[in-house]
Amino acid sequence: MIVGWLLVTLGFFYAGVMIAFWAGFRRVVRRDRPTVNDLTASVLVPARNEAACIHHCLGALFAGEGVYDVLVIDDASTDDTSGAVARFAETLSPDQRSRLSSLRLESDPSRARAYKKRALEFGIAHLSSDIVLTTDADCEPAPGWVESMLARFDGKTAFVSGPVVYSYGASPWEDMQALEFLGLVAIGAGAIGIGRPNMCNGANVAYRRDVFNELGGFSGIDHLTSGDDELLMQKIARETEYSVAFNPSLDALVTTEAVTDGPAFIQQRRRWASKGMHYPSPLLVGMLALIYGFYALLLGSAIATIWVPALLPWVAAGFGTKIASELPLMVSASRHFGRLSLMRYFLFEQLLQIPYVVYIGAAGAFGGYTWKDRRVKR
């Protein structure tokens, strides 16, 4: 009985959080108002061992009509990433070629954990634009990405998060990743919509360079390998009077590929989960802990029904609460971003999500992971 009531209590808490995120997502979509400004922009592309795919990213960036500089930071690659950038530059017009540059950053044992943050700081130090946009070398921004992101800056905004989506249609495995990832984007947008920014993706963010420098860059959050996106966003929201915005425009979409195998998927998600316990807000950490507790209790109770059948109605109620509370947010997000067909995997994914989240949450909080051929220890 105690377990049952605890499941119901945590289920209602979870439902309240999901409904709040749904309301926040609807708010950012409905209240989106592009502005006109004269801000200048530069794009930073940190890259490590991306020789095979960086030309796709650069091709997408130079397909746009805007005028902005693109700076690639080769983060101590062991392949020919810098050579790939040089070869791509040869395909550009003289004007475009003048706007593409590449710098190589060598390894620094004194900052062995802050790989990407160090690369971004190195790049930003070479910029003079008002706004810094970042994306990843394995991503393809929409042609109007830069202009769309710039249009979400007004005098009160210092950080803009944009949508990152997975390609889909190749296989059910990749489609389910695309659906789950879309849910994470929607939660991040919804949290910004209710004034509680928590998640974003470094493959699609933009921020004021002067605010970044005034805050000391990533100082105070550079002890973690991950978090160049979310921890910076939370730092700006917490330590400045500027606001954080989400750009829901389809012109701002950044597309990337889902991972194709299970081990790579696990390593990716462990990296994402590794920063959750280090969020600066006790309320946010507490919320994540309660959500994790709900998932863990739901999984444990489901297994326990083998020996205690009386738990079955409680487990069904908890699982039903989870589905019902997530459904409005997922339908809204998938419809808005033109991915409604992915919802056919929703119920099946729900069954897989609980054990996966319980495992990843623990592994990310207490274990290491491999990223870009680097082993990161806890």
Side-chain angles (χ1 to χ4, degrees):
M1 183 65 71
I2 295 175
V3 172
W5 281 111
L6 189 55
L7 262 178
V8 170
T9 301
L10 289 175
F12 276 118
F13 170 79
Y14 183 82
V17 171
M18 289 298 109
I19 291 171
F21 289 156
W22 174 51
F25 180 81
R26 288 166 58 88
R27 182 177 299 168
V28 298
V29 170
R30 290 178 173 179
R31 297 184 179 180
D32 182 44
R33 296 291 186 274
T35 63
V36 177
N37 56 58
D38 58 358
L39 296 171
T40 58
S42 298
V43 177
L44 274 185
V45 185
R48 175 174 168 81
N49 296 343
E50 302 286 6
C53 65
I54 195 168
H55 62 286
H56 294 299
C57 176
L58 296 175
L61 288 171
F62 282 95
E65 297 180 356
V67 178
Y68 46 84
D69 293 330
V70 177
L71 174 58
V72 177
I73 305 300
D74 183 345
D75 183 11
S77 293
T78 57
D79 69 357
D80 193 29
T81 293
S82 292
V85 175
R87 288 189 293 275
F88 176 83
E90 294 174 358
T91 69
L92 298 175
S93 67
D95 175 63
Q96 290 178 319
R97 194 178 306 138
S98 68
R99 295 189 278 112
L100 173 62
S101 55
S102 176
L103 296 172
R104 180 174 172 85
L105 180 63
E106 300 298 339
S107 297
D108 180 359
S110 68
R111 294 189 68 185
R113 296 181 65 87
Y115 301 117
K116 188 177 179 182
K117 297 186 184 78
R118 178 170 168 258
L120 289 171
E121 285 181 337
F122 180 70
I124 291 171
H126 289 81
L127 301 180
S128 59
S129 60
D130 300 315
I131 303 297
V132 177
L133 293 96
T134 73
T135 191
D136 291 337
D138 58 354
C139 295
E140 295 185 35
W145 174 58
V146 174
E147 294 81 0
S148 180
M149 293 294 280
L150 279 180
R152 271 66 192 179
F153 281 90
D154 56 26
K156 300 178 181 178
T157 305
F159 189 103
V160 176
S161 168
V164 181
V165 295
Y166 282 163
S167 299
Y168 66 99
S171 70
W173 162 244
E174 294 178 36
D175 286 356
M176 283 190 287
Q177 289 183 66
L179 179 62
E180 189 223 12
F181 194 66
L182 185 63
L184 297 177
V185 170
I187 288 172
I192 291 173
I194 61 174
R196 295 289 185 270
N198 57 20
M199 287 196 300
C200 62
N201 191 302
N204 191 356
V205 297
Y207 41 89
R208 292 184 181 272
R209 184 179 59 87
D210 57 351
V211 173
F212 178 85
N213 290 330
E214 288 168 9
L215 289 174
F218 295 110
S219 62
I221 56 176
D222 58 357
H223 58 293
L224 295 171
T225 300
S226 189
D228 57 280
D229 40 25
E230 294 173 2
L231 295 179
L232 176 62
M233 176 181 70
Q234 294 171 25
K235 185 179 182 182
I236 289 174
R238 184 180 71 256
E239 299 183 15
T240 76
E241 295 183 356
Y242 284 101
S243 62
V244 171
F246 181 82
N247 182 359
S249 172
L250 298 184
D251 291 333
L253 280 180
V254 169
T255 305
T256 189
E257 299 293 328
V259 295
T260 56
D261 62 86
F265 174 82
I266 294 298
Q267 293 300 322
Q268 180 192 65
R269 301 311 165 98
R270 288 175 71 161
R271 175 170 61 88
W272 292 355
S274 66
K275 55 186 176 257
M277 297 301 293
H278 299 273
Y279 288 151
S281 168
L283 289 177
L284 178 54
V285 174
M287 182 194 74
L288 293 176
L290 287 173
I291 290 175
Y292 183 82
F294 174 55
Y295 276 52
L297 186 61
L298 197 54
L299 176 62
S301 299
I303 296 172
T305 57
I306 299 173
W307 300 278
V308 188
L311 282 173
L312 187 57
W314 299 101
V315 171
F319 191 64
T321 300
K322 180 182 184 301
I323 292 175
S325 60
E326 289 183 20
L327 190 58
L329 176 63
M330 294 304 301
V331 170
S332 294
S334 59
R335 179 182 291 122
H336 176 74
F337 291 112
R339 282 162 165 74
L340 198 56
S341 63
L342 293 174
M343 287 300 294
R344 67 183 182 273
Y345 297 104
F346 179 71
L347 291 178
F348 181 68
E349 186 186 49
Q350 290 288 308
L351 293 172
L352 300 178
Q353 188 184 47
I354 294 173
Y356 139 70
V357 168
V358 171
Y359 167 72
I360 290 296
F366 302 108
Y369 54 87
T370 300
W371 181 48
K372 299 293 184 182
D373 299 321
R374 288 163 166 161
R375 180 62 185 170
V376 180
K377 297 181 178 180
R378 236 318 154 211

